[in-house]
């Protein structure tokens, strides 16, 4: 539906770079996981990845399998999720 969240906090394409930059400035971890619906266009994901790079995230991954309730999320308190 086009909504964008960072660790359950709302964001949007306009403020995303600033929001991500704040995270990298305030935290030692530079890990980011992108969890997108299958219907999201490639260009949107590419834009998020580019903004994450500009915000100086060092590790950017894509979640590829559905999450289950038994799986702990986030995998560590040092990984941020979009």
């Amino acid at each position: 539906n086009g909504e964008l969240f960072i660790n359950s906090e709302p964001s949007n394409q306009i403020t995303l770079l600033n929001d991500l930059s704040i995270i990298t400035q305030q935290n030692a971890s530079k890990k980011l996981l992108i969890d997108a619906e299958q219907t999201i266009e490639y260009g949107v994901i590419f834009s998020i990845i580019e903004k994450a790079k500009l915000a100086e995230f060092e590790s950017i991954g894509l979640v590829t399998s559905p999450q289950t309730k038994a799986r702990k999320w986030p995998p560590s308190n040092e990984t941020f999720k979009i």
Side-chain angles (χ1 to χ4, degrees):
N1 62 18
E3 294 178 312
L4 183 61
F5 296 89
I6 302 173
N7 285 349
S8 302
E9 293 294 322
S11 185
N12 59 61
Q13 286 288 348
I14 295 168
T15 63
L16 182 60
L17 177 55
N18 186 60
D19 296 341
L20 292 173
S21 295
I22 290 170
I23 290 172
T24 56
Q25 290 169 9
Q26 295 177 348
N27 297 279
S29 176
K30 306 286 191 243
K31 299 175 188 175
L32 178 70
L33 291 177
I34 299 172
D35 185 3
E37 295 176 0
Q38 227 173 356
T39 57
I40 300 297
E41 294 181 15
Y42 173 79
V44 173
I45 300 299
F46 184 80
S47 174
I48 292 170
I49 291 170
E50 288 302 305
K51 288 176 182 177
K53 288 178 183 179
L54 289 171
E56 300 183 1
F57 274 92
E58 296 169 355
S59 175
I60 303 167
L62 299 173
V63 177
T64 58
S65 61
Q67 299 175 23
T68 64
K69 291 183 180 181
R71 199 167 145 193
K72 183 183 174 196
W73 194 260
S76 79
N77 61 353
E78 296 184 1
T79 302
F80 300 93
K81 177 186 168 195
I82 290 188

